[in-house]
Amino acid sequence: RAYGLANIEYDVPNKVDTKFNIASITKTFTAVAALQLYEQGKIDLHLPIGHYLPDYPNPLVRDSVTMHQLLSHTSGSNNFYVGNFLDTDKLQYQSVADFVPLFAEDTLLCKPGAQYNYSASGFVIAGLVIEAVSGQNYYDYLRKHIFLPTKMGNTTELPIDSIVTNKASGYTSFFGESEVLRRNESYLSKASPGGFHYSTVEDLFLFSKALRNYQLLQKETVELMCTPKVKGYNTHLGYGIAVDLRRNQKIQGQGVK
């Protein structure tokens, strides 16, 4: 069943196949893509990313940060989505590389590997590594190796000015600061490896099922992905996925932090 409204202004109800912006769930896709390449021997999780990105503009990141740190939010990279990004022209972001100037020259929040700092920037760098070692555009890689094999036909990146049937509108109260809901287009851009793909409930179920049934990654790699690496703000983190024990059960998923 579906509940609520996909669009408040025009009183359009949600349907079970309404397309939603899934925000940071995209990070889980990015982690799976990186781990597929790890299985193929194309990525070493503990080598500095300069091994794959020799021209990356920040020498400290290039020579010190690893994929293990990027995927577990321990690289020291910041979260560009809450920085100057909010004041930029979102239509300029068409490729993964377009996001890099937002953070490449920023000072790291900590020494690489020292502590947890939630980082969309780190996942963008991971996306660059995926492109470098696979020889494919990040978006095309996800389509070919994750979305098509799992029949996730309604999951894709969308330019923010796209006219798409059955897409939910987004709204925000700015964490309760505003009494009136406002549309959130000013916050959105085309997806990066750190967030903002569109998907549906069914597609996300298919993704979860394929991951749990070892159709996207081998059992050992899924276990590696879901093994806690660090304590986050509210949960423990594996690679691109939160892992917690609550109410006598293991809960795995993706939250904002």
Side-chain angles (χ1 to χ4, degrees):
R1 300 179 184 181
Y3 300 85
L5 297 175
N7 182 285
I8 294 174
E9 299 99 307
Y10 299 104
D11 198 35
V12 179
N14 279 316
K15 299 191 290 187
V16 293
D17 60 348
T18 297
K19 301 177 181 69
F20 285 89
N21 191 300
I22 60 171
S24 288
I25 295 174
T26 292
K27 292 182 176 69
T28 309
F29 298 157
T30 302
V32 169
L35 291 170
Q36 287 177 338
L37 295 164
Y38 157 78
E39 286 185 340
Q40 298 169 28
K42 296 180 179 180
I43 287 179
D44 185 317
L45 297 173
H46 300 285
L47 275 179
I49 59 106
H51 185 77
Y52 311 105
L53 304 172
D55 298 323
Y56 189 76
N58 187 315
L60 178 59
V61 173
R62 184 178 64 232
D63 299 336
S64 304
V65 169
T66 67
M67 284 293 283
H68 164 81
Q69 294 163 353
L70 296 174
L71 298 178
S72 60
H73 297 284
T74 57
S75 68
S77 300
N78 61 19
N79 186 19
F80 73 88
Y81 277 132
V82 295
N84 294 335
F85 168 79
L86 297 177
D87 300 321
T88 63
D89 174 12
K90 308 305 186 300
L91 291 174
Q92 69 182 290
Y93 305 114
Q94 298 299 318
S95 69
V96 174
D98 290 337
F99 292 92
V100 175
L102 287 165
F103 57 82
E105 300 300 334
D106 291 350
T107 300
L108 293 183
L109 300 175
C110 66
K111 180 181 177 181
Q115 65 185 48
Y116 172 88
N117 286 287
Y118 189 82
S119 173
S121 305
F123 274 76
V124 170
I125 299 170
L128 293 175
V129 174
I130 289 167
E131 291 187 331
V133 303
S134 70
Q136 298 178 57
N137 173 284
Y138 166 81
Y139 307 104
D140 292 339
Y141 182 93
L142 261 56
R143 254 187 293 280
K144 182 176 180 180
H145 298 282
I146 296 178
F147 304 153
L148 285 176
T150 53
K151 297 181 171 57
M152 295 169 65
N154 287 311
T155 302
T156 190
E157 77 285 353
L158 291 173
I160 57 174
D161 56 352
S162 296
I163 304 300
V164 178
T165 302
N166 200 22
K167 182 183 77 171
S169 298
Y171 304 92
T172 180
S173 66
F174 296 97
F175 301 100
E177 293 180 8
S178 173
E179 294 182 1
V180 179
L181 288 176
R182 294 172 58 182
R183 298 180 67 94
N184 72 345
E185 276 87 348
S186 63
Y187 186 80
L188 300 178
S189 70
K190 180 180 176 178
S192 82
F196 293 173
H197 269 80
Y198 279 83
S199 191
T200 64
V201 170
E202 181 182 25
D203 274 17
L204 291 178
F205 172 72
L206 291 172
F207 173 72
S208 173
K209 184 178 177 181
L211 194 59
R212 288 181 286 112
N213 290 339
Y214 314 121
Q215 295 170 334
L216 292 171
L217 295 169
Q218 298 170 13
K219 180 179 179 180
E220 295 78 8
T221 310
V222 173
E223 291 174 350
L224 174 66
M225 177 181 178
C226 296
T227 298
K229 311 292 188 291
V230 64
K231 177 67 169 65
Y233 304 134
N234 300 305
T235 65
H236 291 84
L237 277 295
Y239 288 144
I241 195 166
V243 184
D244 248 359
L245 294 174
R246 299 185 190 180
R247 303 179 184 90
N248 297 317
Q249 61 182 332
K250 182 182 286 186
I251 300 174
Q252 299 169 311
Q254 177 62 256
V256 176
K257 293 185 178 181

